Amino acid sequence: MTSEGDSSETERLVVDGPSRTRVALLGSGDISRELVIALQRLGAEVVAVDRYSDAPLHAIADRALVVDLSDNDELAAAIRWLQPKFVVVASDMVATDALSAVVDTGFTELVPALRGAQLAADYQGMRRLAADELGLPTAPFWFAESVEELRSVAQHGGFPMAVRPAVGSLGGGHSVMVRDSDIEPAWQRAVAAAGRGAPARVLAETVVEFDSEVTLLAVHRDGAGGPSLDFCAPIGHRSVEEPNGQLTVEYWQPHPMSPVALDAATSIAARVARALGGRGLFGVDLLVHGDEVYFAGVNVRPYDAALLTLRTQRLSGFELQARAILGLRTDAILVSPGAARLIYSRRPDGAEAGESTPVERSALADALNVTESDVMVFGHHEGHPRRRLGLALATGPDVTVARERAGQAAVALGRLWP
């Protein structure tokens, strides 16, 4: 366990802490940048904890700590030393036994609660919770840990069947099997997309008819009047993976839904958030077909869909999460329809970005010349096989116009990564 900075900075970590609410963020990926800023604006002291010293958030957090997040003893010792008021799980590499020790202290609060933190990286457990315990509508599903198991699942469940990685893959590695010859390619595609070090396990589910994929952001906080839930306007999304492995995910808000479907979606999101427990932001993924809504998954960490809300809501998803962590009042007011295109890549590990060129500078200029547009270019650690590269955002008088503008900005921005 090492701390960034000299001994005087380490001493200040202990001396100055009681005057500010200390939040330890376990995981320092660039997706959490806006969360760090939101917490700091509200007076919190943020300690960014990760396994490597050049994590993207180490430059902006109040303190940085290098810890093997997957080592129970090392992580537990770091948390005891920091004595934070809140520990926020922002990585799926976190040792769960250390999180149990956090809860046992009685001083530090875990965000989300222990159950949510444990299930965040356990798709099988999350699906069992939704289908068996909560009785939520889901597509019939199975998990397989080999090609042979996947073949048995297909024989039992029948075709067509959708297959994807059983761990987070940022939307990549999805296939639809329609015949026996699709089984092995679907397995290979899903396992490869999960990334190095991920378990060889896939989720296979019966293909259900749906019109749209929707994310509902639910904000759960404990205030003076007790626990409360706020819901953001629904966010529609779709993923497009190119043959070269590049992935683009499009988001738009608000996504149109019938009153019946919206009520069902809100009910599902509320039940999931309450079952997982604790404060924070829950991104509940749903499949919508007319008035029917199926539970598809949930994310309890800083969430890609929340990036869109940086321009569409009075308080972004990251600001809402920060307020929920600190027990402050929230609102989910939509101020403008908007859309976003999030660009990922599979650049080989170790490849370095070159020096800025006139072409790159013109790409940014062209993207920002689109009406009501904005862009973000992400930092990253080279060990990540699938990385967020850039985001094109746009607002407009309606979702259709916003999507067109975001698409134009994304085409220009994409020239940064030919």
Side-chain angles (χ1 to χ4, degrees), residues 31-67:
I31 187 67
S32 299
R33 181 180 298 271
E34 296 295 331
L35 175 59
V36 171
I37 294 171
L39 286 166
Q40 290 172 328
R41 284 176 175 168
L42 295 172
E45 176 194 29
V46 181
V47 184
V49 185
D50 217 319
R51 64 187 185 280
Y52 47 88
S53 60
D54 58 344
L57 301 189
H58 282 188
I60 67 168
D62 297 278
R63 299 289 184 271
L65 201 63
V66 179
V67 172

mmCIF file of all heavy atoms in Angstrom, residues 31-67:
data_model
loop_
_atom_site.group_PDB
_atom_site.id
_atom_site.type_symbol
_atom_site.label_atom_id
_atom_site.label_comp_id
_atom_site.label_asym_id
_atom_site.label_seq_id
_atom_site.Cartn_x
_atom_site.Cartn_y
_atom_site.Cartn_z
ATOM 1 N N ILE A 31 -14.382 7.028 -16.094
ATOM 2 C CA ILE A 31 -15.825 7.169 -16.034
ATOM 3 C C ILE A 31 -16.263 7.823 -14.731
ATOM 4 O O ILE A 31 -17.315 8.453 -14.657
ATOM 5 C CB ILE A 31 -16.508 5.789 -16.191
ATOM 6 C CG1 ILE A 31 -18.031 5.922 -16.297
ATOM 7 C CG2 ILE A 31 -16.140 4.853 -15.066
ATOM 8 C CD1 ILE A 31 -18.502 6.596 -17.552
ATOM 9 N N SER A 32 -15.438 7.717 -13.668
ATOM 10 C CA SER A 32 -15.799 8.277 -12.360
ATOM 11 C C SER A 32 -15.317 9.705 -12.165
ATOM 12 O O SER A 32 -15.490 10.276 -11.078
ATOM 13 C CB SER A 32 -15.229 7.403 -11.242
ATOM 14 O OG SER A 32 -15.745 6.096 -11.310
ATOM 15 N N ARG A 33 -14.725 10.301 -13.182
ATOM 16 C CA ARG A 33 -14.181 11.656 -13.046
ATOM 17 C C ARG A 33 -15.240 12.652 -12.580
ATOM 18 O O ARG A 33 -15.007 13.463 -11.671
ATOM 19 C CB ARG A 33 -13.585 12.103 -14.380
ATOM 20 C CG ARG A 33 -12.964 13.500 -14.366
ATOM 21 C CD ARG A 33 -12.398 13.849 -15.726
ATOM 22 N NE ARG A 33 -11.334 12.913 -16.090
ATOM 23 C CZ ARG A 33 -10.061 13.102 -15.775
ATOM 24 N NH1 ARG A 33 -9.703 14.171 -15.090
ATOM 25 N NH2 ARG A 33 -9.157 12.232 -16.150
ATOM 26 N N GLU A 34 -16.411 12.606 -13.219
ATOM 27 C CA GLU A 34 -17.464 13.561 -12.868
ATOM 28 C C GLU A 34 -17.989 13.321 -11.457
ATOM 29 O O GLU A 34 -18.427 14.258 -10.784
ATOM 30 C CB GLU A 34 -18.602 13.482 -13.881
ATOM 31 C CG GLU A 34 -18.219 13.878 -15.295
ATOM 32 C CD GLU A 34 -17.817 15.341 -15.409
ATOM 33 O OE1 GLU A 34 -18.320 16.152 -14.614
ATOM 34 O OE2 GLU A 34 -17.028 15.664 -16.313
ATOM 35 N N LEU A 35 -17.953 12.080 -10.988
ATOM 36 C CA LEU A 35 -18.368 11.786 -9.617
ATOM 37 C C LEU A 35 -17.399 12.406 -8.625
ATOM 38 O O LEU A 35 -17.819 12.988 -7.614
ATOM 39 C CB LEU A 35 -18.459 10.274 -9.402
ATOM 40 C CG LEU A 35 -18.772 9.816 -7.973
ATOM 41 C CD1 LEU A 35 -20.105 10.386 -7.499
ATOM 42 C CD2 LEU A 35 -18.770 8.299 -7.884
ATOM 43 N N VAL A 36 -16.103 12.288 -8.897
ATOM 44 C CA VAL A 36 -15.103 12.897 -8.013
ATOM 45 C C VAL A 36 -15.325 14.401 -7.930
ATOM 46 O O VAL A 36 -15.338 14.990 -6.840
ATOM 47 C CB VAL A 36 -13.681 12.585 -8.514
ATOM 48 C CG1 VAL A 36 -12.648 13.389 -7.732
ATOM 49 C CG2 VAL A 36 -13.384 11.094 -8.385
ATOM 50 N N ILE A 37 -15.507 15.038 -9.077
ATOM 51 C CA ILE A 37 -15.705 16.488 -9.098
ATOM 52 C C ILE A 37 -16.967 16.873 -8.338
ATOM 53 O O ILE A 37 -16.985 17.844 -7.571
ATOM 54 C CB ILE A 37 -15.758 16.985 -10.553
ATOM 55 C CG1 ILE A 37 -14.398 16.782 -11.229
ATOM 56 C CG2 ILE A 37 -16.174 18.454 -10.613
ATOM 57 C CD1 ILE A 37 -14.403 17.044 -12.723
ATOM 58 N N ALA A 38 -18.046 16.110 -8.526
ATOM 59 C CA ALA A 38 -19.305 16.411 -7.841
ATOM 60 C C ALA A 38 -19.150 16.285 -6.333
ATOM 61 O O ALA A 38 -19.666 17.119 -5.564
ATOM 62 C CB ALA A 38 -20.410 15.487 -8.340
ATOM 63 N N LEU A 39 -18.453 15.265 -5.861
ATOM 64 C CA LEU A 39 -18.223 15.097 -4.420
ATOM 65 C C LEU A 39 -17.375 16.235 -3.869
ATOM 66 O O LEU A 39 -17.656 16.762 -2.778
ATOM 67 C CB LEU A 39 -17.548 13.750 -4.161
ATOM 68 C CG LEU A 39 -18.431 12.505 -4.304
ATOM 69 C CD1 LEU A 39 -17.580 11.250 -4.368
ATOM 70 C CD2 LEU A 39 -19.427 12.408 -3.142
ATOM 71 N N GLN A 40 -16.353 16.623 -4.597
ATOM 72 C CA GLN A 40 -15.488 17.712 -4.131
ATOM 73 C C GLN A 40 -16.250 19.030 -4.061
ATOM 74 O O GLN A 40 -16.048 19.822 -3.135
ATOM 75 C CB GLN A 40 -14.281 17.840 -5.058
ATOM 76 C CG GLN A 40 -13.291 16.680 -4.939
ATOM 77 C CD GLN A 40 -12.204 16.736 -5.996
ATOM 78 O OE1 GLN A 40 -12.433 17.197 -7.105
ATOM 79 N NE2 GLN A 40 -11.021 16.242 -5.653
ATOM 80 N N ARG A 41 -17.130 19.272 -5.006
ATOM 81 C CA ARG A 41 -17.926 20.501 -4.989
ATOM 82 C C ARG A 41 -18.815 20.569 -3.752
ATOM 83 O O ARG A 41 -19.159 21.662 -3.285
ATOM 84 C CB ARG A 41 -18.783 20.591 -6.247
ATOM 85 C CG ARG A 41 -18.010 20.991 -7.499
ATOM 86 C CD ARG A 41 -18.902 20.956 -8.715
ATOM 87 N NE ARG A 41 -18.225 21.439 -9.908
ATOM 88 C CZ ARG A 41 -18.688 21.298 -11.139
ATOM 89 N NH1 ARG A 41 -19.850 20.680 -11.331
ATOM 90 N NH2 ARG A 41 -18.025 21.763 -12.168
ATOM 91 N N LEU A 42 -19.186 19.403 -3.241
ATOM 92 C CA LEU A 42 -20.024 19.353 -2.046
ATOM 93 C C LEU A 42 -19.196 19.260 -0.772
ATOM 94 O O LEU A 42 -19.717 18.981 0.302
ATOM 95 C CB LEU A 42 -20.986 18.167 -2.145
ATOM 96 C CG LEU A 42 -22.013 18.260 -3.283
ATOM 97 C CD1 LEU A 42 -22.794 16.967 -3.425
ATOM 98 C CD2 LEU A 42 -22.968 19.432 -3.060
ATOM 99 N N GLY A 43 -17.894 19.492 -0.881
ATOM 100 C CA GLY A 43 -17.034 19.589 0.296
ATOM 101 C C GLY A 43 -16.422 18.290 0.750
ATOM 102 O O GLY A 43 -15.770 18.255 1.802
ATOM 103 N N ALA A 44 -16.601 17.214 0.010
ATOM 104 C CA ALA A 44 -16.039 15.930 0.423
ATOM 105 C C ALA A 44 -14.570 15.845 0.026
ATOM 106 O O ALA A 44 -14.124 16.456 -0.950
ATOM 107 C CB ALA A 44 -16.820 14.788 -0.195
ATOM 108 N N GLU A 45 -13.826 15.072 0.788
ATOM 109 C CA GLU A 45 -12.442 14.744 0.458
ATOM 110 C C GLU A 45 -12.447 13.370 -0.200
ATOM 111 O O GLU A 45 -12.910 12.391 0.390
ATOM 112 C CB GLU A 45 -11.587 14.713 1.721
ATOM 113 C CG GLU A 45 -10.149 14.277 1.476
ATOM 114 C CD GLU A 45 -9.414 13.934 2.771
ATOM 115 O OE1 GLU A 45 -10.095 13.507 3.732
ATOM 116 O OE2 GLU A 45 -8.195 14.098 2.809
ATOM 117 N N VAL A 46 -11.945 13.292 -1.422
ATOM 118 C CA VAL A 46 -11.997 12.047 -2.189
ATOM 119 C C VAL A 46 -10.610 11.422 -2.263
ATOM 120 O O VAL A 46 -9.642 12.072 -2.667
ATOM 121 C CB VAL A 46 -12.531 12.285 -3.612
ATOM 122 C CG1 VAL A 46 -12.594 10.967 -4.380
ATOM 123 C CG2 VAL A 46 -13.919 12.924 -3.559
ATOM 124 N N VAL A 47 -10.528 10.168 -1.854
ATOM 125 C CA VAL A 47 -9.295 9.389 -1.960
ATOM 126 C C VAL A 47 -9.508 8.354 -3.060
ATOM 127 O O VAL A 47 -10.355 7.469 -2.934
ATOM 128 C CB VAL A 47 -8.935 8.692 -0.637
ATOM 129 C CG1 VAL A 47 -7.590 7.969 -0.766
ATOM 130 C CG2 VAL A 47 -8.893 9.699 0.508
ATOM 131 N N ALA A 48 -8.757 8.478 -4.154
ATOM 132 C CA ALA A 48 -8.865 7.551 -5.280
ATOM 133 C C ALA A 48 -7.939 6.363 -5.036
ATOM 134 O O ALA A 48 -6.733 6.522 -4.893
ATOM 135 C CB ALA A 48 -8.498 8.253 -6.581
ATOM 136 N N VAL A 49 -8.514 5.171 -4.967
ATOM 137 C CA VAL A 49 -7.768 3.957 -4.652
ATOM 138 C C VAL A 49 -7.795 3.042 -5.874
ATOM 139 O O VAL A 49 -8.860 2.734 -6.410
ATOM 140 C CB VAL A 49 -8.380 3.226 -3.440
ATOM 141 C CG1 VAL A 49 -7.525 2.023 -3.052
ATOM 142 C CG2 VAL A 49 -8.537 4.188 -2.258
ATOM 143 N N ASP A 50 -6.613 2.611 -6.310
ATOM 144 C CA ASP A 50 -6.552 1.676 -7.427
ATOM 145 C C ASP A 50 -5.241 0.909 -7.367
ATOM 146 O O ASP A 50 -4.365 1.220 -6.563
ATOM 147 C CB ASP A 50 -6.698 2.383 -8.769
ATOM 148 C CG ASP A 50 -7.510 1.545 -9.763
ATOM 149 O OD1 ASP A 50 -7.301 0.314 -9.813
ATOM 150 O OD2 ASP A 50 -8.369 2.112 -10.465
ATOM 151 N N ARG A 51 -5.110 -0.078 -8.264
ATOM 152 C CA ARG A 51 -3.980 -0.990 -8.193
ATOM 153 C C ARG A 51 -2.743 -0.469 -8.904
ATOM 154 O O ARG A 51 -1.673 -1.068 -8.797
ATOM 155 C CB ARG A 51 -4.362 -2.351 -8.787
ATOM 156 C CG ARG A 51 -4.686 -2.325 -10.252
ATOM 157 C CD ARG A 51 -5.230 -3.663 -10.731
ATOM 158 N NE ARG A 51 -5.459 -3.711 -12.169
ATOM 159 C CZ ARG A 51 -6.524 -3.205 -12.776
ATOM 160 N NH1 ARG A 51 -7.461 -2.612 -12.046
ATOM 161 N NH2 ARG A 51 -6.654 -3.285 -14.088
ATOM 162 N N TYR A 52 -2.865 0.617 -9.649
ATOM 163 C CA TYR A 52 -1.703 1.173 -10.340
ATOM 164 C C TYR A 52 -1.621 2.670 -10.065
ATOM 165 O O TYR A 52 -2.615 3.339 -9.766
ATOM 166 C CB TYR A 52 -1.752 0.880 -11.842
ATOM 167 C CG TYR A 52 -3.076 1.151 -12.504
ATOM 168 C CD1 TYR A 52 -3.380 2.401 -13.012
ATOM 169 C CD2 TYR A 52 -4.023 0.135 -12.621
ATOM 170 C CE1 TYR A 52 -4.590 2.652 -13.615
ATOM 171 C CE2 TYR A 52 -5.244 0.375 -13.234
ATOM 172 C CZ TYR A 52 -5.519 1.632 -13.730
ATOM 173 O OH TYR A 52 -6.725 1.874 -14.322
ATOM 174 N N SER A 53 -0.410 3.214 -10.186
ATOM 175 C CA SER A 53 -0.146 4.579 -9.715
ATOM 176 C C SER A 53 -0.540 5.661 -10.706
ATOM 177 O O SER A 53 -0.618 6.826 -10.331
ATOM 178 C CB SER A 53 1.340 4.729 -9.376
ATOM 179 O OG SER A 53 2.142 4.477 -10.515
ATOM 180 N N ASP A 54 -0.778 5.310 -11.953
ATOM 181 C CA ASP A 54 -1.102 6.331 -12.951
ATOM 182 C C ASP A 54 -2.565 6.275 -13.358
ATOM 183 O O ASP A 54 -2.921 6.569 -14.492
ATOM 184 C CB ASP A 54 -0.204 6.178 -14.180
ATOM 185 C CG ASP A 54 -0.319 4.798 -14.828
ATOM 186 O OD1 ASP A 54 -0.837 3.885 -14.167
ATOM 187 O OD2 ASP A 54 0.108 4.654 -15.984
ATOM 188 N N ALA A 55 -3.426 5.893 -12.433
ATOM 189 C CA ALA A 55 -4.854 5.828 -12.726
ATOM 190 C C ALA A 55 -5.370 7.218 -13.110
ATOM 191 O O ALA A 55 -4.893 8.232 -12.594
ATOM 192 C CB ALA A 55 -5.621 5.300 -11.515
ATOM 193 N N PRO A 56 -6.350 7.295 -14.021
ATOM 194 C CA PRO A 56 -6.816 8.593 -14.510
ATOM 195 C C PRO A 56 -7.262 9.567 -13.427
ATOM 196 O O PRO A 56 -7.064 10.773 -13.565
ATOM 197 C CB PRO A 56 -7.988 8.214 -15.427
ATOM 198 C CG PRO A 56 -7.665 6.852 -15.909
ATOM 199 C CD PRO A 56 -6.988 6.177 -14.758
ATOM 200 N N LEU A 57 -7.841 9.060 -12.322
ATOM 201 C CA LEU A 57 -8.375 9.963 -11.307
ATOM 202 C C LEU A 57 -7.353 10.373 -10.256
ATOM 203 O O LEU A 57 -7.636 11.234 -9.422
ATOM 204 C CB LEU A 57 -9.584 9.317 -10.619
ATOM 205 C CG LEU A 57 -10.744 8.954 -11.538
ATOM 206 C CD1 LEU A 57 -11.947 8.530 -10.739
ATOM 207 C CD2 LEU A 57 -11.105 10.124 -12.448
ATOM 208 N N HIS A 58 -6.175 9.776 -10.274
ATOM 209 C CA HIS A 58 -5.176 10.116 -9.269
ATOM 210 C C HIS A 58 -4.716 11.562 -9.378
ATOM 211 O O HIS A 58 -4.222 12.133 -8.406
ATOM 212 C CB HIS A 58 -3.978 9.169 -9.370
ATOM 213 C CG HIS A 58 -4.241 7.832 -8.753
ATOM 214 N ND1 HIS A 58 -3.276 6.877 -8.590
ATOM 215 C CD2 HIS A 58 -5.385 7.281 -8.260
ATOM 216 C CE1 HIS A 58 -3.795 5.798 -8.022
ATOM 217 N NE2 HIS A 58 -5.083 6.024 -7.820
ATOM 218 N N ALA A 59 -4.882 12.158 -10.551
ATOM 219 C CA ALA A 59 -4.443 13.539 -10.740
ATOM 220 C C ALA A 59 -5.464 14.554 -10.237
ATOM 221 O O ALA A 59 -5.107 15.711 -10.000
ATOM 222 C CB ALA A 59 -4.154 13.792 -12.223
ATOM 223 N N ILE A 60 -6.729 14.149 -10.069
ATOM 224 C CA ILE A 60 -7.749 15.122 -9.681
ATOM 225 C C ILE A 60 -8.325 14.869 -8.289
ATOM 226 O O ILE A 60 -8.918 15.776 -7.701
ATOM 227 C CB ILE A 60 -8.894 15.176 -10.706
ATOM 228 C CG1 ILE A 60 -9.685 13.864 -10.709
ATOM 229 C CG2 ILE A 60 -8.377 15.488 -12.091
ATOM 230 C CD1 ILE A 60 -10.984 13.961 -11.478
ATOM 231 N N ALA A 61 -8.176 13.663 -7.756
ATOM 232 C CA ALA A 61 -8.677 13.381 -6.404
ATOM 233 C C ALA A 61 -7.811 14.112 -5.377
ATOM 234 O O ALA A 61 -6.684 14.524 -5.656
ATOM 235 C CB ALA A 61 -8.668 11.886 -6.147
ATOM 236 N N ASP A 62 -8.336 14.276 -4.171
ATOM 237 C CA ASP A 62 -7.577 14.930 -3.114
ATOM 238 C C ASP A 62 -6.359 14.111 -2.703
ATOM 239 O O ASP A 62 -5.304 14.664 -2.388
ATOM 240 C CB ASP A 62 -8.478 15.168 -1.893
ATOM 241 C CG ASP A 62 -9.626 16.097 -2.209
ATOM 242 O OD1 ASP A 62 -9.424 17.316 -2.203
ATOM 243 O OD2 ASP A 62 -10.728 15.587 -2.498
ATOM 244 N N ARG A 63 -6.528 12.804 -2.702
ATOM 245 C CA ARG A 63 -5.428 11.906 -2.363
ATOM 246 C C ARG A 63 -5.505 10.687 -3.276
ATOM 247 O O ARG A 63 -6.572 10.326 -3.771
ATOM 248 C CB ARG A 63 -5.498 11.434 -0.897
ATOM 249 C CG ARG A 63 -5.406 12.558 0.126
ATOM 250 C CD ARG A 63 -4.000 13.149 0.170
ATOM 251 N NE ARG A 63 -3.883 14.148 1.215
ATOM 252 C CZ ARG A 63 -4.145 15.441 1.054
ATOM 253 N NH1 ARG A 63 -4.550 15.884 -0.126
ATOM 254 N NH2 ARG A 63 -4.003 16.270 2.059
ATOM 255 N N ALA A 64 -4.369 10.030 -3.475
ATOM 256 C CA ALA A 64 -4.315 8.812 -4.272
ATOM 257 C C ALA A 64 -3.639 7.720 -3.454
ATOM 258 O O ALA A 64 -2.679 7.980 -2.727
ATOM 259 C CB ALA A 64 -3.548 9.051 -5.575
ATOM 260 N N LEU A 65 -4.148 6.523 -3.583
ATOM 261 C CA LEU A 65 -3.608 5.394 -2.846
ATOM 262 C C LEU A 65 -3.505 4.209 -3.797
ATOM 263 O O LEU A 65 -4.448 3.920 -4.544
ATOM 264 C CB LEU A 65 -4.540 5.042 -1.675
ATOM 265 C CG LEU A 65 -3.948 4.247 -0.510
ATOM 266 C CD1 LEU A 65 -2.841 5.041 0.174
ATOM 267 C CD2 LEU A 65 -5.033 3.899 0.486
ATOM 268 N N VAL A 66 -2.349 3.547 -3.789
ATOM 269 C CA VAL A 66 -2.134 2.383 -4.645
ATOM 270 C C VAL A 66 -2.285 1.129 -3.793
ATOM 271 O O VAL A 66 -1.495 0.891 -2.873
ATOM 272 C CB VAL A 66 -0.743 2.419 -5.302
ATOM 273 C CG1 VAL A 66 -0.527 1.185 -6.162
ATOM 274 C CG2 VAL A 66 -0.597 3.685 -6.142
ATOM 275 N N VAL A 67 -3.307 0.346 -4.110
ATOM 276 C CA VAL A 67 -3.661 -0.845 -3.335
ATOM 277 C C VAL A 67 -4.134 -1.919 -4.307
ATOM 278 O O VAL A 67 -4.821 -1.618 -5.290
ATOM 279 C CB VAL A 67 -4.781 -0.522 -2.315
ATOM 280 C CG1 VAL A 67 -5.300 -1.792 -1.653
ATOM 281 C CG2 VAL A 67 -4.291 0.455 -1.268
#
